[in-house]
Amino acid sequence: MHHRSLTYRIFSVGNGLFLALLSFMCIAPLIHVLAVSLSSSAAADANIVKMWPVGFSLEAYKVTLSNGNFIGSFMNSIVRTVLGTAVAIGMSIFIGYSLSKETNEFKGRNMYAWFFVFTMLFSGGLIPGYMVVQKLGLLNSIWALILPGAVSVYNTILLMNFFRTSVPKALEEAAFIDGAGHFRALWSIYLPISLPSLATISLFTMVGHWNAWFDGLIYMTQTEKYPMSTLLQTLVVQRDLSSMNVNADELKQLSNRTVKTAQIFIATLPIIAVYPFLQKFFVKGIVLGSVKE
């Protein structure tokens, strides 16, 4: 009866309209960027393109995809994202598993836990961080973008709490009785149960690596080593087209707006492609621990 009441139906319709409007506001900028990238140079420069291409053209995508610097930075971002996510998830799993144990199982657990929390509150700063990377000889190396942020304390705490609260202790004790060690218990019991949590943390890490641009700007002195976000930052914000290495005659025939929007749209495609496959885990993983019985 409650679901048939007039008040409930009005609320449902209003709620649906609000969510539809909110969804449109989120996706509208991306549609506009796609429309500009597919429009003619004259239409883009005249700023008359809204949500639909004007004077359809694929020249911006042809120039972008044939540019060696752009393709190189795209591959740099893919390598960074894959390696960085693998390293970060591996570190979070091992540290989270260790810290999920009681103090009688892991001596010094509290000291290590406070050490990690301390690094959340206080950091060495930009200059000491740069000097460490420089002294280690990591400048212009992909590891300069991965190792300094390899351990995310926030993700580690999320995973530690998941291990402590969501994995039945009896399962681990049964595995130990059958002769399993910690690595076997982690691989065969903890990780299969923790897939939603791992997928959520993986998505956070992937998006963070893909969108990070500042570390590439300070640790990479060669533009061909730039990840995608750093290259886009120099093109779109600093308006420095020298790193694009585009033929001057081609630039005269193209609008800077169409080229930049084409690059931005191509840069967002990998995240758009990956998100639907992780979305079902993401929805479940993000609300874990929110319901207390």
Side-chain angles (χ1 to χ4, degrees):
M1 294 299 292
H2 169 71
H3 292 77
R4 297 176 182 174
S5 66
L6 178 61
T7 305
Y8 182 83
R9 282 181 288 180
I10 292 175
F11 170 78
S12 298
V13 172
N15 193 34
L17 290 175
F18 173 74
L19 291 177
L21 178 62
L22 192 63
S23 301
F24 178 75
M25 291 173 63
C26 292
I27 202 172
L30 187 60
I31 296 176
H32 175 69
V33 166
L34 178 61
V36 173
S37 68
L38 292 174
S39 299
S40 65
S41 301
D45 287 336
N47 201 21
I48 60 175
V49 182
K50 301 302 180 185
M51 306 300 284
W52 194 257
V54 179
F56 185 82
S57 172
L58 292 175
E59 284 303 315
Y61 286 92
K62 291 180 181 176
V63 170
T64 299
L65 294 178
S66 63
N67 185 270
N69 277 2
F70 182 84
I71 299 300
S73 66
F74 190 84
M75 295 307 297
N76 290 339
S77 279
I78 290 179
V79 172
R80 174 191 180 162
T81 303
V82 173
L83 276 180
T85 303
V87 171
I89 295 302
M91 298 291 284
S92 296
I93 288 173
F94 286 117
I95 298 173
Y97 176 79
S98 301
L99 296 182
S100 68
K101 303 303 176 188
E102 301 295 335
T103 51
N104 59 348
E105 298 176 272
F106 178 26
K107 302 295 182 185
R109 171 194 174 276
N110 290 340
M111 182 189 71
Y112 285 109
W114 279 111
F115 172 77
F116 284 111
V117 172
F118 181 84
T119 62
M120 288 183 71
L121 304 176
F122 304 98
S123 65
L126 178 62
I127 295 177
Y130 179 84
M131 292 176 66
V132 169
V133 172
Q134 184 187 37
K135 295 298 181 184
L136 291 175
L138 296 178
L139 292 181
N140 287 317
S141 165
I142 192 70
W143 296 107
L145 309 177
I146 295 173
L147 294 183
V151 178
S152 169
V153 180
Y154 176 77
N155 291 341
T156 300
I157 291 175
L158 282 179
L159 207 54
M160 178 192 71
N161 286 330
F162 184 84
F163 286 158
R164 289 170 65 93
T165 58
S166 300
V167 179
K169 196 69 176 175
L171 277 178
E172 185 185 52
E173 292 174 352
F176 287 158
I177 291 173
D178 288 340
H182 283 288
F183 282 105
R184 182 68 176 176
L186 175 64
W187 180 259
S188 300
I189 296 177
Y190 278 79
L191 295 187
I193 293 176
S194 308
L195 282 182
S197 180
L198 292 175
T200 304
I201 293 174
S202 298
L203 186 62
F204 286 159
T205 308
M206 288 170 56
V207 173
H209 273 293
W210 189 263
N211 289 333
W213 60 270
F214 185 66
D215 49 359
L217 202 60
I218 60 176
Y219 295 141
M220 300 295 175
T221 58
Q222 303 169 0
T223 54
E224 61 269 22
K225 300 283 183 68
Y226 278 180
M228 172 68 67
S229 298
T230 304
L231 182 67
L232 289 179
Q233 199 273 343
T234 59
L235 294 173
V236 178
V237 179
Q238 298 183 12
R239 301 177 184 277
D240 178 14
L241 294 178
S242 59
S243 56
M244 188 61 189
N245 195 24
V246 177
N247 186 292
D249 294 333
E250 289 179 335
L251 279 178
K252 289 178 182 177
Q253 300 173 6
L254 290 172
S255 163
N256 286 342
R257 289 194 69 201
T258 58
V259 176
K260 291 174 181 176
T261 50
Q263 293 165 353
I264 292 172
F265 186 76
I266 292 173
T268 59
L269 278 181
I271 296 298
I272 296 174
V274 169
Y275 186 81
F277 296 100
L278 296 177
Q279 196 260 352
K280 62 178 181 180
F281 296 110
F282 180 71
V283 171
K284 184 177 179 182
I286 201 67
V287 299
L288 287 173
S290 60
V291 179
K292 305 296 182 186
E293 296 181 355

